[in-house]
Amino acid sequence: MRSSAAVLAALLAVGGCKAGDQDGKGADEGGGGPSRPAASGSALAAVSSLTVKGRAPKTGYERSEFGSSWVDTDDNGCGTRDDILKRDLEGVRFRDGHCLVASGTLADDPYTGRDVRFVRGHSKVDIDHVVALSDAWQKGAQKWDRDKRLEFANDPLNLIAVDASANRRKGDGDAATWLPPNKAYRCAYVAHQVAVKKTYGLWVTGAEKGAMRRVLGGCPGTKLPAR
């Protein structure tokens, strides 16, 4: 299987420079792809296209508003969580056939830069929504229908295997309130957030947009990730 660096190379063209569902914080529960096209082009330029509004109240948010955790949205017989584990881990072993990932290693974790061992049921690896579900809820998703929220929650563009402890510290933070401790990954991380928000029409706060520009201003050649 590929290391996280290889996954990053596949997801990002850079020029110039998930426990369980961690927005619901459930344990040990990974991809279907949405029909809508992902954004493309320069991540820094794309920041300008994001609408700025204040954060709406979190009222009414529940993980269940985005459907059941880790459904099989691409009809390959495997839940989204396991699809992402297969994509992001090295040395994957399965509990049964080709779906339930029993163990593997997250090499060069994007958030910390460390290697993290995954063992099902005792995992130190989370599948993170790069744009947290509750953040999305407060920036437009509460007005979506159930199908679009289910699509968003299982979109591989917005999912990545990461160190659990770092992910718990992130919570539902946006670019203005949390960035990965691994500074080498920050350009890619923010580019992912920009791509997701542009693809789904989510807005950003003024502070968030400023943070995105500051990070990407240091790596202006970073492209928006592709699926």
Side-chain angles (χ1 to χ4, degrees), residues 103-134:
S103 64
T105 299
L106 178 62
D108 191 22
D109 163 53
Y111 287 179
T112 66
R114 300 190 299 260
D115 290 355
V116 185
R117 182 68 177 160
F118 171 83
V119 178
R120 199 176 197 94
H122 306 279
S123 180
K124 296 181 180 179
V125 174
D126 285 346
I127 304 303
D128 182 37
H129 289 94
V130 179
V131 173
L133 301 186
S134 60

Side-chain angles (χ1 to χ4, degrees), residues 4-175:
S4 59
V7 171
L8 174 59
L11 290 174
L12 277 177
V14 179
C17 304
K18 64 354 240 214
D21 180 326
Q22 293 338 136
D23 296 308
K25 301 297 185 252
D28 241 346
E29 300 270 24
S35 56
R36 69 192 74 251
S40 60
S42 161
L44 180 59
V47 175
S48 297
S49 70
L50 300 178
T51 299
V52 175
K53 292 185 184 181
R55 182 186 290 271
K58 195 173 177 178
T59 306
Y61 170 74
E62 298 287 346
R63 173 60 178 85
S64 59
E65 293 292 336
F66 290 81
S68 300
S69 298
W70 311 132
V71 296
D72 177 15
T73 56
D74 62 356
D75 298 321
N76 70 347
C78 305
T80 305
R81 181 174 188 261
D82 284 293
D83 283 336
I84 301 303
L85 289 171
K86 286 187 288 183
R87 186 193 72 185
D88 290 359
L89 300 185
E90 291 185 349
V92 170
R93 293 181 179 276
F94 296 96
R95 178 177 292 177
D96 65 337
H98 69 288
C99 272
L100 292 179
V101 176
S103 64
T105 299
L106 178 62
D108 191 22
D109 163 53
Y111 287 179
T112 66
R114 300 190 299 260
D115 290 355
V116 185
R117 182 68 177 160
F118 171 83
V119 178
R120 199 176 197 94
H122 306 279
S123 180
K124 296 181 180 179
V125 174
D126 285 346
I127 304 303
D128 182 37
H129 289 94
V130 179
V131 173
L133 301 186
S134 60
D135 181 65
W137 179 264
Q138 296 171 79
K139 295 171 182 175
Q142 60 184 276
K143 297 181 180 180
W144 297 348
D145 62 29
R146 184 65 168 252
D147 287 346
K148 184 174 179 180
R149 288 199 290 263
L150 180 68
E151 178 183 292
F152 179 83
N154 291 275
D155 188 345
L157 179 66
N158 191 35
L159 295 171
I160 190 168
V162 297
D163 173 76
S165 60
N167 189 42
R168 305 303 170 84
R169 289 192 292 272
K170 170 190 171 180
D172 63 356
D174 60 26

Side-chain angles (χ1 to χ4, degrees), residues 12 43 186-196 216 222-225:
L12 277 177
R186 288 182 178 177
C187 289
Y189 175 78
V190 173
H192 265 93
Q193 289 199 330
V194 174
V196 171
L216 293 172
T222 300
K223 304 297 184 183
L224 291 171

